[in-house]
Amino acid sequence: MNTARKALCMWFVSLFAAIPSAPAFQAASGEGAVIGHLTQVEGTVLRYVTDEDDWVQLVKDSPVGIEDLLFCEENSKAEIIIPNNTWIRTGSATRLHIINLADNTTRMEVESGLARLYNKGSVAVITVATPFGSLLAPPLTAFDLSLRDDTVQVTALAGTVTFNYLK
């Protein structure tokens, strides 16, 4: 690479390094809100919009946040990455309701379908409510969750997750 190109590349690197990162969205309480986004979409992924009482189709890079009700249609897949180092991969016919997102927690309900969740953070915990009970995943864990009409299957892929059946 010639000297002029190297100088131009170094100038761009220094320019972008000097730009401050964007502040987090501010929640009503004054704390920064945690907003995730869809990093991968195959097929049809829908979000329920309460004001319109209807489902709308999402595309790659759509924001995902608190109180979002998502549905991954039959033969569809999606990946959601949350800034607290939670990764969610959904499969066919999966219905997912995000309850809370914060720096130290991801809380959701999975009502049906397949999901693989990764807790790649060192502080945050993931809690998942299902029709059969609730699951707790501490930092540095990964697990598969499969829900059918009358069964739930949880498979730990890394670390130890705890499932508490409803009584």
Side-chain angles (χ1 to χ4, degrees):
M1 187 183 294
N2 66 30
T3 307
R5 280 190 173 172
K6 285 183 184 177
L8 184 59
C9 288
M10 292 304 291
W11 181 79
F12 275 114
V13 169
S14 64
L15 174 68
F16 288 112
I19 297 173
S21 60
F25 293 101
Q26 293 298 309
S29 67
E31 297 176 10
V34 176
I35 306 293
H37 71 283
L38 281 170
T39 57
Q40 185 70 27
V41 175
E42 292 180 29
T44 303
V45 178
L46 304 169
R47 173 189 290 135
Y48 183 73
V49 180
T50 307
D51 294 344
E52 298 175 18
D53 192 28
D54 200 6
W55 293 87
V56 297
Q57 187 168 349
L58 298 178
V59 296
K60 184 179 176 186
D61 293 325
S62 293
V64 177
I66 296 172
E67 295 303 322
D68 276 347
L69 179 58
L70 306 173
F71 182 67
C72 203
E73 286 191 344
E74 198 71 35
N75 300 316
S76 298
K77 299 177 188 178
E79 180 182 70
I80 303 165
I81 297 181
I82 314 287
N84 66 6
N85 290 318
T86 299
W87 291 27
I88 305 163
R89 292 183 176 158
T90 63
S92 186
T94 301
R95 188 174 168 125
L96 169 76
H97 185 192
I98 297 175
I99 305 298
N100 189 24
L101 297 176
D103 291 337
N104 62 353
T105 188
T106 298
R107 194 172 61 145
M108 68 186 76
E109 294 175 354
V110 177
E111 300 172 13
S112 63
L114 304 166
R116 175 170 283 180
L117 292 97
Y118 299 90
N119 187 349
K120 296 183 176 198
S122 59
V123 177
V125 297
I126 298 173
T127 58
V128 181
T130 75
F132 304 100
S134 62
L135 187 137
L136 176 66
L140 306 174
T141 55
F143 61 95
D144 284 343
L145 179 62
S146 175
L147 293 162
R148 300 232 162 92
D149 292 335
D150 57 352
T151 61
V152 61
Q153 181 177 351
V154 178
T155 305
L157 305 171
T160 302
V161 296
T162 304
F163 190 85
N164 295 308
Y165 285 94
L166 289 176
K167 294 177 183 175

